[in-house]
mmCIF file of all heavy atoms in Angstrom:
data_model
loop_
_atom_site.group_PDB
_atom_site.id
_atom_site.type_symbol
_atom_site.label_atom_id
_atom_site.label_comp_id
_atom_site.label_asym_id
_atom_site.label_seq_id
_atom_site.Cartn_x
_atom_site.Cartn_y
_atom_site.Cartn_z
ATOM 1 N N ALA U 87 0.302 -12.376 25.108
ATOM 2 C CA ALA U 87 1.086 -12.050 26.276
ATOM 3 C C ALA U 87 0.341 -10.963 27.092
ATOM 4 O O ALA U 87 0.448 -10.933 28.333
ATOM 5 C CB ALA U 87 2.431 -11.542 25.835
ATOM 6 N N VAL U 88 -0.323 -10.050 26.427
ATOM 7 C CA VAL U 88 -0.963 -8.907 27.080
ATOM 8 C C VAL U 88 -2.286 -9.285 27.647
ATOM 9 O O VAL U 88 -2.922 -8.538 28.415
ATOM 10 C CB VAL U 88 -1.094 -7.676 26.112
ATOM 11 C CG1 VAL U 88 -2.314 -7.833 25.265
ATOM 12 C CG2 VAL U 88 -1.059 -6.392 26.898
ATOM 13 N N ASP U 89 -2.785 -10.399 27.191
ATOM 14 C CA ASP U 89 -4.178 -10.729 27.472
ATOM 15 C C ASP U 89 -4.430 -11.389 28.856
ATOM 16 O O ASP U 89 -5.300 -12.008 29.094
ATOM 17 C CB ASP U 89 -4.654 -11.807 26.408
ATOM 18 C CG ASP U 89 -5.999 -11.486 25.926
ATOM 19 O OD1 ASP U 89 -6.531 -10.438 26.281
ATOM 20 O OD2 ASP U 89 -6.582 -12.348 25.231
ATOM 21 N N VAL U 90 -3.494 -11.088 29.782
ATOM 22 C CA VAL U 90 -3.544 -11.775 31.043
ATOM 23 C C VAL U 90 -4.764 -11.546 31.900
ATOM 24 O O VAL U 90 -5.368 -12.463 32.394
ATOM 25 C CB VAL U 90 -2.273 -11.372 31.899
ATOM 26 C CG1 VAL U 90 -1.846 -12.542 32.715
ATOM 27 C CG2 VAL U 90 -1.158 -10.861 30.985
ATOM 28 N N PRO U 91 -5.257 -10.352 32.073
ATOM 29 C CA PRO U 91 -6.392 -10.183 33.038
ATOM 30 C C PRO U 91 -7.619 -10.897 32.531
ATOM 31 O O PRO U 91 -8.320 -10.372 31.648
ATOM 32 C CB PRO U 91 -6.574 -8.663 33.062
ATOM 33 C CG PRO U 91 -6.051 -8.176 31.716
ATOM 34 C CD PRO U 91 -4.944 -9.056 31.433
ATOM 35 N N PRO U 92 -7.945 -12.017 33.117
ATOM 36 C CA PRO U 92 -9.068 -12.790 32.592
ATOM 37 C C PRO U 92 -10.383 -12.415 33.186
ATOM 38 O O PRO U 92 -11.441 -12.837 32.727
ATOM 39 C CB PRO U 92 -8.673 -14.190 33.008
ATOM 40 C CG PRO U 92 -7.771 -14.028 34.220
ATOM 41 C CD PRO U 92 -7.372 -12.625 34.283
ATOM 42 N N ALA U 93 -10.345 -11.618 34.210
ATOM 43 C CA ALA U 93 -11.574 -11.252 34.833
ATOM 44 C C ALA U 93 -12.302 -10.044 34.231
ATOM 45 O O ALA U 93 -13.346 -9.600 34.667
ATOM 46 C CB ALA U 93 -11.287 -10.873 36.301
ATOM 47 N N THR U 94 -11.722 -9.559 33.056
ATOM 48 C CA THR U 94 -12.310 -8.416 32.424
ATOM 49 C C THR U 94 -13.562 -8.779 31.739
ATOM 50 O O THR U 94 -13.590 -9.792 30.901
ATOM 51 C CB THR U 94 -11.317 -7.888 31.398
ATOM 52 O OG1 THR U 94 -10.018 -7.850 31.959
ATOM 53 C CG2 THR U 94 -11.719 -6.498 30.924
ATOM 54 N N GLU U 95 -14.571 -8.090 32.017
ATOM 55 C CA GLU U 95 -15.901 -8.443 31.387
ATOM 56 C C GLU U 95 -16.220 -7.470 30.284
ATOM 57 O O GLU U 95 -17.074 -7.746 29.422
ATOM 58 C CB GLU U 95 -17.019 -8.495 32.443
ATOM 59 C CG GLU U 95 -17.528 -7.163 32.895
ATOM 60 C CD GLU U 95 -16.494 -6.296 33.629
ATOM 61 O OE1 GLU U 95 -15.392 -6.770 33.831
ATOM 62 O OE2 GLU U 95 -16.842 -5.166 33.949
ATOM 63 N N ASP U 96 -15.511 -6.333 30.197
ATOM 64 C CA ASP U 96 -15.823 -5.325 29.154
ATOM 65 C C ASP U 96 -15.154 -5.717 27.868
ATOM 66 O O ASP U 96 -13.854 -5.621 27.830
ATOM 67 C CB ASP U 96 -15.474 -3.952 29.652
ATOM 68 C CG ASP U 96 -15.911 -2.924 28.620
ATOM 69 O OD1 ASP U 96 -16.415 -3.239 27.511
ATOM 70 O OD2 ASP U 96 -15.736 -1.694 28.982
ATOM 71 N N TRP U 97 -15.851 -6.102 26.873
ATOM 72 C CA TRP U 97 -15.188 -6.465 25.649
ATOM 73 C C TRP U 97 -14.345 -5.328 25.036
ATOM 74 O O TRP U 97 -13.337 -5.610 24.428
ATOM 75 C CB TRP U 97 -16.254 -6.936 24.607
ATOM 76 C CG TRP U 97 -17.115 -5.838 24.034
ATOM 77 C CD1 TRP U 97 -18.293 -5.398 24.577
ATOM 78 C CD2 TRP U 97 -16.835 -4.944 22.998
ATOM 79 N NE1 TRP U 97 -18.774 -4.351 23.866
ATOM 80 C CE2 TRP U 97 -17.927 -4.097 22.885
ATOM 81 C CE3 TRP U 97 -15.822 -4.917 22.097
ATOM 82 C CZ2 TRP U 97 -18.000 -3.045 21.876
ATOM 83 C CZ3 TRP U 97 -15.879 -3.887 21.051
ATOM 84 C CH2 TRP U 97 -16.890 -3.066 21.000
ATOM 85 N N LYS U 98 -14.737 -4.105 25.298
ATOM 86 C CA LYS U 98 -14.015 -2.999 24.727
ATOM 87 C C LYS U 98 -12.599 -2.883 25.234
ATOM 88 O O LYS U 98 -11.632 -2.540 24.532
ATOM 89 C CB LYS U 98 -14.750 -1.642 25.025
ATOM 90 C CG LYS U 98 -16.057 -1.394 24.213
ATOM 91 C CD LYS U 98 -16.402 0.032 23.971
ATOM 92 C CE LYS U 98 -16.467 0.844 25.256
ATOM 93 N NZ LYS U 98 -17.508 0.500 26.144
ATOM 94 N N VAL U 99 -12.447 -3.178 26.521
ATOM 95 C CA VAL U 99 -11.124 -3.177 27.134
ATOM 96 C C VAL U 99 -10.245 -4.235 26.555
ATOM 97 O O VAL U 99 -9.094 -3.971 26.278
ATOM 98 C CB VAL U 99 -11.271 -3.320 28.676
ATOM 99 C CG1 VAL U 99 -9.873 -3.444 29.336
ATOM 100 C CG2 VAL U 99 -12.070 -2.191 29.306
ATOM 101 N N VAL U 100 -10.846 -5.354 26.439
ATOM 102 C CA VAL U 100 -10.036 -6.478 25.852
ATOM 103 C C VAL U 100 -9.591 -6.226 24.382
ATOM 104 O O VAL U 100 -8.452 -6.326 23.991
ATOM 105 C CB VAL U 100 -10.817 -7.817 25.889
ATOM 106 C CG1 VAL U 100 -9.997 -8.953 25.344
ATOM 107 C CG2 VAL U 100 -11.221 -8.129 27.299
ATOM 108 N N MET U 101 -10.591 -5.770 23.669
ATOM 109 C CA MET U 101 -10.381 -5.412 22.193
ATOM 110 C C MET U 101 -9.263 -4.386 22.125
ATOM 111 O O MET U 101 -8.390 -4.468 21.230
ATOM 112 C CB MET U 101 -11.696 -4.848 21.665
ATOM 113 C CG MET U 101 -11.776 -4.879 20.188
ATOM 114 S SD MET U 101 -12.221 -6.544 19.660
ATOM 115 C CE MET U 101 -12.771 -6.162 18.023
ATOM 116 N N ARG U 102 -9.457 -3.339 22.891
ATOM 117 C CA ARG U 102 -8.538 -2.245 22.830
ATOM 118 C C ARG U 102 -7.089 -2.705 23.121
ATOM 119 O O ARG U 102 -6.171 -2.333 22.404
ATOM 120 C CB ARG U 102 -8.963 -1.230 23.935
ATOM 121 C CG ARG U 102 -8.646 0.189 23.615
ATOM 122 C CD ARG U 102 -9.100 1.055 24.804
ATOM 123 N NE ARG U 102 -7.941 1.731 25.382
ATOM 124 C CZ ARG U 102 -7.559 2.915 25.089
ATOM 125 N NH1 ARG U 102 -8.286 3.642 24.250
ATOM 126 N NH2 ARG U 102 -6.469 3.429 25.534
ATOM 127 N N SER U 103 -6.955 -3.479 24.182
ATOM 128 C CA SER U 103 -5.556 -3.826 24.551
ATOM 129 C C SER U 103 -4.935 -4.798 23.541
ATOM 130 O O SER U 103 -3.754 -4.700 23.228
ATOM 131 C CB SER U 103 -5.529 -4.473 25.921
ATOM 132 O OG SER U 103 -6.338 -5.623 25.961
ATOM 133 N N ARG U 104 -5.806 -5.646 22.943
ATOM 134 C CA ARG U 104 -5.306 -6.520 21.887
ATOM 135 C C ARG U 104 -4.795 -5.657 20.679
ATOM 136 O O ARG U 104 -3.710 -5.945 20.128
ATOM 137 C CB ARG U 104 -6.379 -7.469 21.405
ATOM 138 C CG ARG U 104 -6.769 -8.541 22.364
ATOM 139 C CD ARG U 104 -7.801 -9.425 21.802
ATOM 140 N NE ARG U 104 -7.279 -10.651 21.196
ATOM 141 C CZ ARG U 104 -7.104 -11.786 21.828
ATOM 142 N NH1 ARG U 104 -7.485 -11.956 23.020
ATOM 143 N NH2 ARG U 104 -6.470 -12.791 21.146
ATOM 144 N N ILE U 105 -5.619 -4.744 20.262
ATOM 145 C CA ILE U 105 -5.313 -3.941 19.038
ATOM 146 C C ILE U 105 -4.118 -3.103 19.333
ATOM 147 O O ILE U 105 -3.219 -2.979 18.447
ATOM 148 C CB ILE U 105 -6.495 -3.194 18.603
ATOM 149 C CG1 ILE U 105 -7.602 -4.089 18.072
ATOM 150 C CG2 ILE U 105 -6.125 -2.141 17.568
ATOM 151 C CD1 ILE U 105 -8.906 -3.430 17.764
ATOM 152 N N LEU U 106 -3.993 -2.595 20.508
ATOM 153 C CA LEU U 106 -2.844 -1.738 20.783
ATOM 154 C C LEU U 106 -1.544 -2.587 20.855
ATOM 155 O O LEU U 106 -0.446 -2.107 20.488
ATOM 156 C CB LEU U 106 -3.026 -0.955 22.118
ATOM 157 C CG LEU U 106 -4.095 0.157 22.045
ATOM 158 C CD1 LEU U 106 -4.205 0.880 23.353
ATOM 159 C CD2 LEU U 106 -3.874 1.153 20.878
ATOM 160 N N ALA U 107 -1.665 -3.798 21.274
ATOM 161 C CA ALA U 107 -0.521 -4.667 21.332
ATOM 162 C C ALA U 107 -0.087 -4.989 19.894
ATOM 163 O O ALA U 107 1.100 -5.049 19.540
ATOM 164 C CB ALA U 107 -0.844 -5.959 22.044
ATOM 165 N N ALA U 108 -1.108 -5.264 19.038
ATOM 166 C CA ALA U 108 -0.733 -5.528 17.619
ATOM 167 C C ALA U 108 -0.056 -4.296 17.028
ATOM 168 O O ALA U 108 0.922 -4.432 16.325
ATOM 169 C CB ALA U 108 -2.036 -5.838 16.857
ATOM 170 N N ARG U 109 -0.549 -3.168 17.376
ATOM 171 C CA ARG U 109 -0.006 -1.906 16.840
ATOM 172 C C ARG U 109 1.471 -1.763 17.253
ATOM 173 O O ARG U 109 2.321 -1.321 16.426
ATOM 174 C CB ARG U 109 -0.779 -0.718 17.347
ATOM 175 C CG ARG U 109 -0.255 0.617 16.859
ATOM 176 C CD ARG U 109 -1.342 1.730 17.058
ATOM 177 N NE ARG U 109 -0.984 2.891 16.292
ATOM 178 C CZ ARG U 109 -0.257 3.943 16.811
ATOM 179 N NH1 ARG U 109 0.185 3.857 18.006
ATOM 180 N NH2 ARG U 109 0.050 4.923 15.967
ATOM 181 N N GLU U 110 1.792 -2.143 18.483
ATOM 182 C CA GLU U 110 3.164 -2.006 18.901
ATOM 183 C C GLU U 110 4.128 -2.824 18.009
ATOM 184 O O GLU U 110 5.217 -2.410 17.731
ATOM 185 C CB GLU U 110 3.313 -2.412 20.368
ATOM 186 C CG GLU U 110 3.112 -1.284 21.333
ATOM 187 C CD GLU U 110 3.242 -1.773 22.813
ATOM 188 O OE1 GLU U 110 4.102 -2.551 23.035
ATOM 189 O OE2 GLU U 110 2.395 -1.394 23.605
ATOM 190 N N VAL U 111 3.625 -4.002 17.642
ATOM 191 C CA VAL U 111 4.438 -4.845 16.778
ATOM 192 C C VAL U 111 4.685 -4.152 15.445
ATOM 193 O O VAL U 111 5.772 -4.064 14.907
ATOM 194 C CB VAL U 111 3.904 -6.222 16.549
ATOM 195 C CG1 VAL U 111 4.619 -6.974 15.551
ATOM 196 C CG2 VAL U 111 3.787 -7.003 17.957
ATOM 197 N N LEU U 112 3.620 -3.608 14.906
ATOM 198 C CA LEU U 112 3.707 -2.896 13.642
ATOM 199 C C LEU U 112 4.579 -1.702 13.690
ATOM 200 O O LEU U 112 5.284 -1.371 12.706
ATOM 201 C CB LEU U 112 2.303 -2.535 13.092
ATOM 202 C CG LEU U 112 1.440 -3.697 12.699
ATOM 203 C CD1 LEU U 112 0.012 -3.141 12.281
ATOM 204 C CD2 LEU U 112 2.102 -4.533 11.565
ATOM 205 N N LEU U 113 4.622 -1.057 14.836
ATOM 206 C CA LEU U 113 5.575 0.126 15.012
ATOM 207 C C LEU U 113 7.014 -0.359 15.024
ATOM 208 O O LEU U 113 7.902 0.462 14.703
ATOM 209 C CB LEU U 113 5.197 0.911 16.277
ATOM 210 C CG LEU U 113 3.884 1.628 16.218
ATOM 211 C CD1 LEU U 113 3.604 2.322 17.509
ATOM 212 C CD2 LEU U 113 3.836 2.633 15.066
ATOM 213 N N ARG U 114 7.241 -1.542 15.431
ATOM 214 C CA ARG U 114 8.618 -2.120 15.394
ATOM 215 C C ARG U 114 9.037 -2.471 13.946
ATOM 216 O O ARG U 114 10.192 -2.647 13.678
ATOM 217 C CB ARG U 114 8.675 -3.308 16.260
ATOM 218 C CG ARG U 114 8.671 -3.010 17.721
ATOM 219 C CD ARG U 114 9.352 -4.197 18.538
ATOM 220 N NE ARG U 114 8.632 -5.475 18.508
ATOM 221 C CZ ARG U 114 7.723 -5.790 19.415
ATOM 222 N NH1 ARG U 114 7.318 -4.960 20.337
ATOM 223 N NH2 ARG U 114 7.117 -6.955 19.326
#
Side-chain angles (χ1 to χ4, degrees):
Chain U
V88 83
D89 222 9
V90 213
T94 315
E95 79 292 0
D96 185 354
W97 69 269
K98 290 210 302 297
V99 174
V100 180
M101 198 81 161
R102 211 182 117 96
S103 61
R104 289 182 95 94
I105 291 173
L106 292 181
R109 179 166 195 265
E110 271 178 43
V111 173
L112 291 178
L113 291 178
R114 288 204 291 270

